[in-house]
């Protein structure tokens, strides 16, 4: 009887040990039935991670009930729990949703001159305040006749208006190009470190990661990334996250104060 109990406990202990031993799990990440590349998969318990290849395939160490953190710049953040059947089959399939980007509405209004009175905001019988009533210099001067040019369509346009329009368009194009390049660089930095780094290491709220990176632009993070100075870049991000208004704990304090 004693030998039987010893054998039983030995077998049971080996069984428990085998269940808790991490195993290599092979998986595939899909978005809309398409294998997805460059998806970051992190085992939250074992703090190990990997990246899916061009076929959406990856391998990672895991045990039963481990939680995998799935993140990508263009995908919705997701968590996947390892089940017993995943351990037995040594295989998992993960489906993720693409991230929707919503742009804020922008209203462009016509530029108003100093002689124009906005009737919508002026109260009835209120005194009119403008350049004429204030006797400002040149208030009563009439604009000189402007030279015009005739384009191929037959439309006549003032030279001043044409020059201002061209300058405005060029300035707008340069600004949009600068913002586009800056946004691309920030996206590359976020992809390089993964959302898991910002959320679990720096404690930055996920929806504020882009805002946090924008606040670090003046610290030279784009320059450090282009020069492949990863250690210095990491130090700058860690240092700026300490007193960042986008920290999870700061968010909690703001909600409590309200």
């Amino acid at each position: 009887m004693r030998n039987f109990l010893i054998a039983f406990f030995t077998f049971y202990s080996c069984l428990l040990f085998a269940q808790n031993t991490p195993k290599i799990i092979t998986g595939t990440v899909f978005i809309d039935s398409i294998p997805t590349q460059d998806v970051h998969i992190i085992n939250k318990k074992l703090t190990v991670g990997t990246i899916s290849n061009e076929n959406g395939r990856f391998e990672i160490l895991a045990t039963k009930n481990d939680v995998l953190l799935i993140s990508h710049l263009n995908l919705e953040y997701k968590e996947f729990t390892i089940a017993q059947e995943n351990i037995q089959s040594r295989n998992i399939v993960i489906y993720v949703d693409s991230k929707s980007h919503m742009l804020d509405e922008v209203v462009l209004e016509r530029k108003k001159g100093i002689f124009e009175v906005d009737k919508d905001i002026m109260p009835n019988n209120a005194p009119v305040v403008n350049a004429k009533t204030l006797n400002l210099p040149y208030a009563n001067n009439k604009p000189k006749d402007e030279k015009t040019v005739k384009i191929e369509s037959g439309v006549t346009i003032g030279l001043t208006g044409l020059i201002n329009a061209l300058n405005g368009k060029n300035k707008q194009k340069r600004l949009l190009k600068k913002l586009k390049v800056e946004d691309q660089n920030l996206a590359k930095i976020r992809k390089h470190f993964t959302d898991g780094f910002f959320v679990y290491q720096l404690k930055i709220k996920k929806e504020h990661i882009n805002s946090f990176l924008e606040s670090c632009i003046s610290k030279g993070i784009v320059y450090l990334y282009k020069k492949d100075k990863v250690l210095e870049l990491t130090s700058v991000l860690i240092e700026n996250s300490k007193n960042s208004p986008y920290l999870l704990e700061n968010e909690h304090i703001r909600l409590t104060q309200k």
Side-chain angles (χ1 to χ4, degrees):
M1 183 66 181
R2 179 181 178 184
N3 293 334
F4 173 77
L5 291 176
I6 293 175
F8 174 77
F9 284 116
T10 301
F11 173 77
Y12 185 73
S13 300
C14 292
L15 182 62
L16 289 178
F17 178 77
Q19 290 180 345
N20 294 327
T21 301
K23 297 179 177 58
I24 297 178
I25 306 296
T26 302
T28 310
V29 182
F30 290 93
I31 173 173
D32 298 331
S33 301
I34 300 174
T36 307
Q37 184 179 6
D38 293 333
V39 177
H40 293 261
I41 303 97
I42 300 175
N43 189 319
K44 188 175 180 181
K45 179 181 178 182
L46 302 180
T47 64
V48 294
T50 184
I51 302 176
S52 60
N53 61 17
E54 63 274 8
N55 298 318
R57 303 281 292 176
F58 67 90
E59 291 184 347
I60 192 169
L61 285 173
T63 59
K64 182 182 177 182
N65 295 327
D66 283 1
V67 177
L68 302 185
L69 308 179
I70 317 299
S71 65
H72 188 279
L73 186 62
N74 297 322
L75 304 176
E76 291 291 347
Y77 181 81
K78 185 173 183 177
E79 292 187 356
F80 183 91
T81 303
I82 301 294
Q84 181 61 35
E85 53 265 28
N86 301 133
I87 299 297
Q88 293 176 349
S89 63
R90 301 285 184 94
N91 183 67
I92 56 176
V93 178
I94 301 174
Y95 292 92
V96 292
D97 299 322
S98 58
K99 184 180 297 183
S100 300
H101 299 276
M102 183 174 294
L103 300 178
D104 295 333
E105 182 179 358
V106 178
V107 179
L108 300 178
E109 297 183 353
R110 179 176 60 85
K111 187 177 181 180
K112 297 181 180 180
I114 62 174
F115 298 102
E116 187 171 354
V117 178
D118 193 339
K119 297 180 180 180
D120 295 332
I121 62 174
M122 288 295 293
N124 296 330
N125 301 323
V128 178
V129 179
N130 54 30
K132 289 184 179 180
T133 58
L134 295 176
N135 295 321
L136 296 178
Y138 311 108
N140 297 316
N141 290 357
K142 295 182 178 180
K144 297 180 179 180
D145 294 335
E146 183 183 14
K147 295 182 179 181
T148 60
V149 292
K150 192 173 184 180
I151 57 179
E152 292 183 1
S153 62
V155 177
T156 301
I157 185 172
L159 285 175
T160 303
L162 178 61
I163 294 173
N164 290 338
L166 291 175
N167 289 338
K169 288 182 179 179
N170 291 334
K171 184 177 180 181
Q172 186 180 33
K173 287 182 179 179
R174 289 195 299 269
L175 178 60
L176 290 175
K177 183 178 180 180
K178 179 182 178 182
L179 292 175
K180 184 177 180 180
V181 172
E182 188 176 272
D183 185 64
Q184 290 174 346
N185 288 323
L186 294 182
K188 290 178 181 179
I189 294 174
R190 180 171 180 174
K191 179 181 178 181
H192 176 81
F193 285 95
T194 76
D195 287 3
F197 169 77
F198 292 100
V199 174
Y200 295 101
Q201 298 296 326
L202 302 187
K203 306 302 181 183
I204 300 296
K205 203 169 184 180
K206 183 181 177 183
E207 55 265 34
H208 293 159
I209 293 177
N210 285 343
S211 299
F212 169 70
L213 287 174
E214 289 175 1
S215 68
C216 296
I217 291 178
S218 61
K219 306 299 182 180
I221 61 173
V222 175
Y223 170 80
L224 294 175
Y225 177 77
K226 288 183 176 179
K227 294 298 181 179
D228 201 24
K229 297 183 178 181
V230 180
L231 291 179
E232 295 182 28
L233 174 57
T234 305
S235 298
V236 171
L237 293 175
I238 293 175
E239 185 63 28
N240 282 272
S241 68
K242 293 179 180 179
N243 298 317
S244 174
Y246 304 111
L247 287 174
L248 291 169
E249 57 186 21
N250 289 348
E251 182 73 14
H252 175 72
I253 292 174
R254 288 199 297 272
L255 292 174
T256 303
Q257 289 176 345
K258 290 180 180 180

